[in-house]
Amino acid sequence: MDVSPLPAAAPSLVTPSLNHPKPRLAFPLHHPSAPTPRGSGSVAVRCANSRAPPHLRRAAADDDGEDSFPPPSLRIRRLAEEFRAVPDAANRARHLLAHAAALPRLGEADRVAANRVMGCVAQVWLVGQCDAGGRMRFSADSDSELSRGYCAWLISALDGARPEEVLDVDPADLAPLGGIAAGTRSRATTWHNVLVGMQKRARAAIAAREGRPPGEPFPSLVIARDRAVRAQGSYAEAQFEKACFTRKLLCSISWSCSCAVLLNGPQDHLRQMGHKAMFLSPDESKISELLKYLREKKIGVVAHFYMDPEVQGILTASKRHWPHIHISDSLVMADSAVKMAEAGCEYITVLGVDFMSENVRAILDQAGFNKVGVYRMSSDQIGCSLADAASSSAYTHFLKGASRSPPSLHVIYINTSLETKAHAHELVPTITCTSSNVVATILQAFAQIPGLNVWYGPDSYMGANILDLFQRMAVMSDEEIAEIHSSHNKKSINSLLPRLHYYQDGNCIVHDMFGHEVVEKIKEQYCDAFLTAHFEVPGEMFSLSMEAKTRGMGVVGSTQNILDFIKSRLMEALNRNIDDHLQFVLGTESGMITSIVAAVHELLDSYKSSQQSANIEVEIVFPVSSDAVSNTSVNGSHHLDSSTATDFDKISVVPGVSSGEGCSIHGGCASCPYMKMNSFGSLLKVCHQLPDKDNRLTAYQASRFNAKTPQGNLVAEVGCEPILHMRHFQATKRLSDKLVHQVIHGNGEPTL
């Protein structure tokens, strides 16, 4: 991204002459008013004079009366300007290598995983704490000399600064430093990631100074090479029935409110325990029972990523013996159902919310599989807050406004009912989208139809995030914009901004949890971790993850995008073959944990037979708001049978609302209460009673819309058309001629 022009640089901070083996810095590594750290000797990089030149001094004086250096933020900007002024990458690299040689080495005791800076190509270690005078003291090291050079420059600017001054440094000021190492963008992110690590330590120093105890960590799950899974963290116990013991082992974990199973011993509240959970090692008898029905009755199963992890575990294990089981996002569920029907499945069971089973039913009908039965998992309605928002009168009012502003295109999220899609399409030409293709869809629409107005809904957070993304693009260079969409540039992006509209009264109750409280805790405790966020999260979480994305530490997108990001970072670590601990903050529904664990185990296993011998762990962190934490104490928990009540009786299941039922529709954690209505018992019940000769499963059948729209058309036919428009876009990367005609001339058929 472009950065606004910086102020003119002060006289040279870096002497560019290559005749000197060690370029001189105008800023010493250590602040002159502070004592030299013990053990550092005289190897700190210093300029010839021990004081900064007059034009770099602040007018204000420090508490000790000594003139201080300019603010660290100014030093960073000037260093960045100086680096940008050096003519080529080779010369810049030589300067970095020279300063790397002057950086003191860390002792082995500090070169440990706890001090590792994640996201760097090389191994980088950072140590930072506040001294008695209230100033930050930093030291760093790396197994790469270029990375050591990066660290030396950052330490020269920030060592000796006050914690608040470290936090004032804008990471965007490091943008000019990108690509200095022979154009390697990934290596240049070391600048940014080390700075983030410094700022995390500065926040901790401020908290300690103010007497605030370290915050409790979010629940997390650590996945290791030996297939051991351990939970860690400390929260009050929440009682709820799904956590249980059988065969003297933990056999079931409820993740119904993004929970991990946590030890809470009296001496060490961060103790850890290896265990086998049902979603990893499900009961073989349940797998056998399910497989018997699936094979005998030719039943296919499609399930969403947000499904209950215990159920997902059984399905994942069963898939090894019956290929017609698929866990994915909502769009691929329907595609998979068609493939199962083509392979001979006579029934499809859908584990999701009602609009998903409706879509499966409609797509099968469109593909000619009208006789294939489609069954949901409850006789009650399995709702969705987004789908409900799109079926409201307020959303109809939103679309009527769009119909009065031609030419208009309605881009509707796939997570809506077929009836909503049909009624919307008759008001405004409509195309569906997913969280992974919505940006490409909107950009292509603006490029393909001059003067177009785009109306997105119903997810308000996603709409705001799309607008935010386009505003970010508006300050990029034309070359950077072209990498995102070849038909756009700064002028076209700025021109489309006032013509992009989004519905402002709809959201997902799960992603709504990722608001201010959670984001502030992520900033304080997890800013140096890999951040993942679904496109449906509130703007604060979106911005935080987008910033992380710019330095290779984040992803914003669909559930599949998040899964792919975790896998790619793990593969990079495996290829480096160095001991590592990768920490990911999961910014979406906690039900994804089963797919994540399965994918991580698959990758770890695939490297077992190779020469790869490093100890690499993946930690998944589950953000939780205070609303989801129960006040129940460990002493108040119900006890297990004496035969199993050993150290296991100290386990706490975290978090959970006070009632102990897991997350409610009031939020507090990343778990969808509607998705959790899809139980294994319901799946067995449906499979057992098929074929439904006595009509006992009528309430479980997916709706087949025989109703008509206000214009007299079949809901099933009209509702499928926006989906078909999206399929055309996915295949060709262009809007279909039919849709373009509908936008420009109305919903009639194009004239030939």
Side-chain angles (χ1 to χ4, degrees):
M1 296 176 65
D2 275 352
V3 177
S4 301
L6 300 172
S12 184
L13 304 181
V14 181
T15 304
S17 171
L18 297 180
N19 295 324
H20 301 285
K22 294 182 182 180
R24 293 179 292 128
L25 283 103
F27 302 124
L29 278 173
H30 300 289
H31 195 278
S33 64
T36 302
R38 188 177 299 175
S40 65
S42 59
V43 278
V45 180
R46 304 181 68 92
C47 62
N49 301 316
S50 62
R51 300 291 300 276
H55 64 275
L56 293 180
R57 297 179 192 169
R58 272 191 282 182
D62 286 334
D63 295 338
D64 57 10
E66 292 288 330
D67 289 344
S68 67
F69 282 148
S73 56
L74 177 59
R75 298 181 224 170
I76 290 286
R77 289 197 297 272
R78 288 176 173 170
L79 285 171
E81 276 295 317
E82 287 294 332
F83 265 98
R84 189 157 54 180
V86 176
D88 56 55
N91 282 342
R92 296 170 191 166
R94 290 173 192 171
H95 285 299
L96 284 175
L97 293 174
H99 291 293
L103 184 68
R105 290 282 181 183
L106 284 179
E108 287 301 317
D110 289 324
R111 292 164 63 97
V112 294
N115 293 331
R116 280 284 302 276
V117 178
M118 280 187 286
C120 302
V121 173
Q123 292 190 95
V124 179
W125 298 269
L126 173 67
V127 178
Q129 58 187 3
C130 214
D131 66 13
R135 297 184 180 277
M136 294 302 300
R137 295 299 169 193
F138 294 111
S139 27
D141 204 350
S142 175
D143 59 0
S144 159
E145 289 303 303
L146 281 175
S147 294
R148 279 175 52 79
Y150 292 138
C151 294
W153 277 111
L154 284 171
I155 289 175
S156 75
L158 297 179
D159 189 73
R162 298 191 184 281
E164 291 83 359
E165 293 178 317
V166 177
L167 294 181
D168 282 342
V169 176
D170 186 351
D173 292 337
L174 301 181
L177 305 178
I180 66 171
T184 305
R185 179 183 177 91
S186 59
R187 187 176 293 280
T189 59
T190 298
W191 287 100
H192 201 160
N193 292 333
V194 173
L195 172 61
V196 169
M198 289 175 160
Q199 292 179 327
K200 178 180 180 179
R201 288 155 178 80
R203 288 190 185 93
I206 292 173
R209 184 184 68 202
E210 296 175 350
R212 289 186 282 119
E216 293 282 8
F218 286 135
S220 67
L221 196 71
V222 180
I223 312 161
R225 285 196 63 176
D226 57 1
R227 283 190 168 262
V229 177
R230 69 182 188 273
Q232 59 186 24
S234 176
Y235 274 98
E237 179 183 11
Q239 300 178 11
F240 52 100
E241 297 175 355
K242 290 182 67 176
C244 64
F245 286 97
T246 60
R247 294 172 295 172
K248 297 186 179 181
L249 288 173
L250 181 63
C251 73
S252 176
I253 297 179
S254 173
W255 290 88
S256 66
C257 53
S258 57
C259 44
V261 174
L262 309 174
L263 289 179
N264 194 7
Q267 302 297 324
D268 183 3
H269 72 287
L270 292 178
R271 294 173 61 195
Q272 303 169 353
M273 178 190 75
H275 63 266
K276 290 293 182 180
M278 180 165 287
F279 72 91
L280 300 177
S281 300
D283 191 326
E284 290 293 337
S285 64
K286 291 186 177 181
I287 297 172
S288 298
E289 184 178 7
L290 177 62
L291 286 172
K292 176 178 179 291
Y293 291 133
L294 299 183
R295 288 169 174 158
E296 287 180 359
K297 303 180 181 183
K298 298 181 180 178
I299 302 171
V301 181
V302 292
H304 194 271
F305 277 131
Y306 295 168
M307 192 51 46
D308 182 271
E310 180 183 340
V311 180
Q312 283 196 52
I314 296 172
L315 293 177
T316 301
S318 301
K319 186 176 181 179
R320 302 178 192 135
H321 310 285
W322 179 248
H324 307 304
I325 298 174
H326 194 80
I327 303 171
S328 65
D329 58 24
S330 56
L331 175 66
V332 181
M333 289 170 68
D335 296 336
S336 302
V338 171
K339 292 177 182 177
M340 293 174 188
E342 291 172 343
C345 287
E346 297 179 4
Y347 307 98
I348 304 294
T349 51
V350 181
L351 281 74
V353 296
D354 284 344
F355 73 78
M356 296 175 184
S357 59
E358 291 173 7
N359 285 344
V360 168
R361 173 72 277 164
I363 295 301
L364 284 172
D365 289 345
Q366 286 283 332
F369 294 104
N370 308 67
K371 294 183 179 180
V372 173
V374 178
Y375 291 86
R376 38 199 292 280
M377 293 297 107
S378 176
S379 58
D380 296 323
Q381 180 182 1
I382 308 177
C384 169
S385 59
L386 275 181
D388 292 345
S391 62
S392 67
S393 59
Y395 199 76
T396 301
H397 180 75
F398 170 73
L399 293 178
K400 288 181 177 178
S403 68
R404 294 190 292 268
S405 302
S408 283
L409 174 67
H410 175 217
V411 180
I412 189 170
Y413 199 23
I414 190 71
N415 292 5
T416 49
S417 72
L418 201 66
E419 190 172 20
T420 294
K421 294 180 179 75
H423 291 170
H425 190 45
E426 289 196 335
L427 282 171
V428 186
T430 298
I431 183 173
T432 58
C433 69
T434 67
S435 49
S436 59
N437 67 24
V438 59
V439 171
T441 300
I442 293 175
L443 287 176
Q444 179 59 31
F446 276 122
Q448 204 168 332
I449 305 175
L452 179 68
N453 288 287
V454 169
W455 305 74
Y456 168 81
D459 192 301
S460 303
Y461 289 140
M462 187 183 292
N465 293 339
I466 294 167
L467 180 59
D468 183 303
L469 179 61
F470 290 167
Q471 289 170 338
R472 293 169 188 260
M473 290 178 64
V475 296
M476 291 180 179
S477 67
D478 287 346
E479 292 74 16
E480 289 172 319
I481 294 171
E483 290 180 7
I484 299 173
H485 196 286
S486 59
S487 298
H488 283 286
N489 53 36
K490 290 181 71 171
K491 182 179 179 181
S492 67
I493 295 297
N494 276 288
S495 69
L496 67 80
L497 288 176
R499 293 181 282 118
L500 174 62
H501 316 272
Y502 65 92
Y503 185 62
Q504 300 190 25
D505 195 23
N507 64 345
C508 168
I509 60 173
V510 171
H511 295 106
D512 184 62
M513 185 274 297
F514 294 92
H516 178 74
E517 178 193 349
V518 166
V519 167
E520 287 303 305
K521 187 165 182 176
I522 291 173
K523 286 180 181 178
E524 185 153 330
Q525 297 190 31
Y526 300 98
C527 59
D528 56 346
F530 293 103
L531 303 184
T532 73
H534 198 278
F535 231 136
E536 297 176 26
V537 297
E540 285 182 285
M541 184 68 181
F542 173 81
S543 296
L544 198 64
S545 299
M546 284 295 293
E547 183 278 325
K549 185 176 185 293
T550 62
R551 52 190 171 89
M553 293 292 293
V555 63
V556 178
S558 66
T559 48
Q560 188 63 54
N561 295 147
I562 291 172
L563 183 60
D564 291 343
F565 176 78
I566 294 172
K567 290 165 61 177
S568 68
R569 292 300 175 267
L570 175 56
M571 288 179 66
E572 290 171 2
L574 289 168
N575 289 330
R576 286 195 298 267
N577 197 19
I578 297 171
D579 289 358
D580 213 344
H581 182 95
L582 308 179
Q583 187 181 60
F584 297 87
V585 176
L586 187 62
T588 190
E589 223 274 359
S590 59
M592 273 198 73
I593 186 59
T594 307
S595 296
I596 292 172
V597 170
V600 169
H601 276 165
E602 183 178 354
L603 282 173
L604 291 175
D605 290 346
S606 69
Y607 279 76
K608 255 184 182 178
S609 58
S610 67
Q611 298 300 314
Q612 208 279 347
S613 58
N615 180 26
I616 297 175
E617 297 179 333
V618 174
E619 180 181 5
I620 307 299
V621 176
F622 303 90
V624 184
S625 77
S626 59
D627 294 338
V629 181
S630 169
N631 294 322
T632 307
S633 67
V634 174
N635 293 333
S637 61
H638 29 228
H639 293 283
L640 305 168
D641 181 87
S642 59
S643 63
T644 60
T646 57
D647 281 345
F648 293 122
D649 64 356
K650 298 173 183 176
I651 286 181
S652 304
V653 181
V654 182
V657 292
S658 299
S659 65
E661 297 299 327
C663 268
S664 70
I665 60 173
H666 301 296
C669 58
S671 182
C672 176
Y674 302 116
M675 283 289 190
K676 302 310 180 285
M677 292 173 67
N678 294 267
S679 68
F680 182 70
S682 293
L683 177 59
L684 285 182
K685 174 182 177 179
V686 170
C687 292
H688 173 71
Q689 294 186 6
L690 288 175
D692 187 24
K693 297 179 180 178
D694 300 326
N695 295 323
R696 289 178 292 178
L697 295 178
T698 300
Y700 289 79
Q701 286 184 317
S703 299
R704 175 179 271 128
F705 285 100
N706 296 316
K708 294 189 176 181
T709 67
Q711 295 184 13
N713 300 306
L714 286 175
V715 165
E717 292 182 2
V718 181
C720 280
E721 192 167 338
I723 301 174
L724 297 176
H725 286 321
M726 181 183 69
R727 293 186 185 283
H728 182 278
F729 171 75
Q730 289 178 304
T732 66
K733 305 306 178 186
R734 292 180 57 82
L735 303 188
S736 67
D737 292 341
K738 180 177 182 180
L739 179 57
V740 172
H741 182 275
Q742 290 172 340
V743 170
I744 297 174
H745 302 289
N747 278 336
E749 292 295 322
T751 56
L752 301 177

